Amino acid sequence: MRILVSTSGRHGATDTLGRELARVFEHGGVDVDVRAAESVDCVDGYDALVIGSAVYSNRWIPMVNDLVARLADKPHPPVWLFSCGPLHSADRPVNDTADAARAVAVLNAQSHCTFPGKLDVAELSHGERLVFASSGAAEGDFRDWIRVCNWARDILARLASIPFPR
């Protein structure tokens, strides 16, 4: 079995989540390729796709939206989607973005999962710091590695139940 994990973000947190998913898949005996969303032109030969995007201002990264558009009208294997972020204070709910909902619909995705992200203010540009200051978001690493690994295992279990032509 072969899985493509494709992500895009700005500061590395989403890519790290993608690499952790890939590690769990490899531990499960799967061949995995990890590639940036903008570098994916063809998904032939893959048994599953896992696509992840960072969330900024309640939007996915444009390169991930572009990948979704490239795949929308083409045959593709089963797809799982994830979002990294947004970061909000504990008293504000985190909703799925419109971009994620659209991607679920056009790719007929198996599921979409939103994972908390990581925010290091020192890594932000001046403009990003201004947005952060007024956002109510908290600085820190909020990624839940157990939840990420469990989601990867759920994907593997689901793939094991899908009959693939050999």
Side-chain angles (χ1 to χ4, degrees):
M1 182 178 307
R2 194 165 167 225
I3 297 176
L4 171 64
V5 176
S6 181
T7 62
S8 188
R10 291 187 188 155
H11 301 290
T14 307
D15 297 335
T16 303
L17 288 176
R19 286 192 303 276
E20 183 63 13
L21 291 165
R23 186 193 64 78
V24 174
F25 297 149
E26 288 171 342
H27 185 75
V30 174
D31 291 327
V32 182
D33 291 330
V34 178
R35 297 182 44 204
E38 59 271 21
S39 73
V40 176
D41 293 320
C42 178
V43 295
D44 294 346
Y46 292 104
D47 297 302
L49 308 177
V50 177
I51 300 170
S53 179
V55 176
Y56 291 95
S57 298
N58 211 34
R59 299 295 314 262
W60 269 9
I61 296 291
M63 285 76 75
V64 176
N65 286 323
D66 293 345
L67 173 58
V68 169
R70 288 193 305 274
L71 295 174
D73 296 325
K74 297 179 184 173
H76 56 77
V79 176
W80 281 261
L81 303 168
F82 73 92
S83 297
C84 179
L87 300 169
H88 290 296
S89 60
D91 60 339
R92 291 172 48 193
V94 175
N95 299 315
D96 287 345
T97 68
D99 293 332
R102 184 173 43 261
V104 167
V106 301
L107 298 177
N108 192 28
Q110 302 295 307
S111 74
H112 170 260
C113 190
T114 299
F115 296 110
K118 174 186 172 200
L119 179 64
D120 181 352
V121 175
E123 294 179 1
L124 302 180
S125 69
H126 177 70
E128 289 171 327
R129 286 182 185 158
L130 293 175
V131 170
F132 166 73
S134 63
S135 71
E139 182 175 15
D141 189 344
F142 303 100
R143 293 170 294 179
D144 183 340
W145 297 110
I146 293 171
R147 188 166 167 243
V148 170
C149 292
N150 286 340
W151 191 63
R153 288 185 199 95
D154 288 345
I155 292 170
L156 289 175
R158 175 70 178 112
L159 287 168
S161 72
I162 297 173
F164 289 103
R166 301 289 175 210

